[in-house]
Structures are given as C-alpha cells and as structure tokens.
C-alpha cells in the first residue's frame, strides 16, 4: 500500500497532465459542434430522433451481445494505449488517444445540449456521464502507466545507454493493464444493463413533438 502511495506521488504530474489533456479534448469536442454544416446537423438530428423513438418504445435490447460489443470497444482502447506504451515512438499516440477520447465525449455532450437544450443536458447526464465518470479514471491510470513505462525505456535504453532490468517494470505494466481491463468489463456491464434504464426515464422528454420538431 505504501509503494502505491509513493508511486502516485512520483507520478502526480503525469496524472494532472493526462487529466488536463482529457479536459482540453472535451472543450475542443464541444466547440466542434459549431463547425457542423446544416446538412450534417440534420442528419444527426434525424438519427437521434429515430433512436429516441426506438428507445421510448423499449426496442433497444440489453443482452450479452450488446455487452461484448461495448466491452470489446473499451478493451480495444486500453489495448491501443498499452501497445503505444511499449515503444518510444508510441508515446505521442497515448496523448492523441487521450485527447481523442475527450473530443468524443465533448462533442456528444455539446451536440445534445445544443440541439435539445436542458432535455439534452439531462439525457447526457444519464447516458454519457455515468459510465464515462468511470471510464476516464481507468484510461488515465492506463495512460500514466503506459507513459511511465515508455519513459523508463527512454531513460534506461537511450539516454543512459544501458541494459536495464525490464522484467519487473514490464510485469507491473501488464498487471495494471489487466486490472484496468477487468474494471472495464464491470463498466461495460453497467453501460449495458443500467444505462439504458436511466435513458428510458428521460427519453419521453425528447420524443415530445415540440422537442424534436426540427428533425422533420
């Protein structure tokens, strides 16, 4: 436990940097909504309108296939970060993935709020926020572990020009990633069976004809 606390203190700046990078991505994604053309906005609005109607009718199922689809998507994200951490040239890739994740979240929330006002904000709070409040810390931990391992390679293989002992750091890196992967499976379960229920509570507000009249 003491070693974990010491490790966190040593890497606190990395945690702050990655968290800020996520936040910058969220802001950038929200601003991207304003760059959409009218045709793109109409296409997205039509798709969301149809989805809301389907959801309100209870036709969006939550089953094992949905769970594995969501889980694989999250695990792929972790896998990409893990692979990038194995090499020096992959270090920028970790930062790009973190920024991109923030952009996707910011764009989604920004579009919902921009098109549906407070109803969109309420829908984002039940559909986007809950599982991402869990996903983002997991990705931050994975990213910091990947960046740390990549920096360890730079320090011991390049700058100091020596053959360091990579066995223990590599095992620690793999263990952290595996634990985060297991957490992602739990998050996928939440996203599969709990999130749709919360979404169904808010959807009736969004299928009101006055709310989605712009779609048609």
């Amino acid at each position: 436990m003491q070693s974990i606390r010491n490790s966190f203190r040593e890497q606190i700046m990395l945690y702050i940097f990655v968290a800020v990078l996520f936040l910058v991505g969220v802001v950038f994604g929200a601003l991207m909504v304003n760059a959409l053309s009218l045709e793109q906005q109409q296409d997205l609005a039509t798709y969301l309108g149809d989805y809301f109607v389907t959801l309100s009718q209870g036709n969006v199922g939550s089953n094992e296939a949905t769970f594995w689809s969501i889980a694989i998507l999250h695990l792929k994200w972790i896998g990409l970060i893990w692979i990038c951490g194995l090499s020096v040239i992959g270090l920028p890739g970790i930062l790009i993935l973190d920024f991109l994740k923030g952009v996707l979240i910011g764009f989604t929330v920004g579009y919902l709020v921009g098109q549906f006002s407070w109803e969109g904000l309420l829908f984002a709070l039940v559909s986007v926020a809950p599982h991402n409040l869990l996903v983002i810390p997991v990705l931050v931990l994975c990213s910091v572990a990947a960046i740390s391992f990549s920096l360890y390679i730079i320090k011991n293989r390049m700058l100091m020009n020596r053959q360091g002992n990579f066995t223990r750091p590599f095992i620690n890196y793999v263990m952290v990633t595996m634990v985060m992967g297991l957490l992602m499976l739990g998050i996928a379960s939440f996203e599969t069976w709990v999130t749709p229920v919360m979404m169904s509570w808010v959807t009736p507000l969004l299928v009101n004809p006055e709310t989605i009249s712009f779609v048609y």
Side-chain angles (χ1 to χ4, degrees), residues 14-67:
L14 281 179
Y15 283 105
I16 294 174
F17 176 75
V18 174
V20 170
L21 189 62
F22 267 111
L23 182 60
V24 172
V26 169
V27 174
F28 185 80
L31 294 175
M32 280 181 59
V33 176
N34 298 323
L36 292 175
S37 66
L38 180 60
E39 182 180 356
Q40 289 172 325
Q41 293 183 25
Q42 289 176 339
D43 289 342
L44 280 173
T46 300
Y47 172 80
L48 283 175
D50 293 340
Y51 177 75
F52 291 148
V53 171
T54 302
L55 185 62
S56 67
Q57 294 173 347
N59 295 329
V60 178
S62 298
N63 50 43
E64 187 175 346
T66 304
F67 164 76

Side-chain angles (χ1 to χ4, degrees), residues 77-97:
W77 208 277
I78 288 182
L80 286 173
I81 292 175
W82 184 79
I83 291 172
C84 288
L86 293 176
S87 63
V88 176
I89 61 174
L91 184 57
I94 301 170
L95 305 180
I96 292 173
L97 288 170

Side-chain angles (χ1 to χ4, degrees), residues 49 52-53 56 116 119 202-216:
F52 291 148
V53 171
S56 67
F116 298 97
E119 294 94 343
V202 181
T203 304
L205 297 174
L206 295 166
V207 296
N208 185 295
E210 294 180 359
T211 305
I212 62 172
S213 59
F214 68 92
V215 176
Y216 306 101

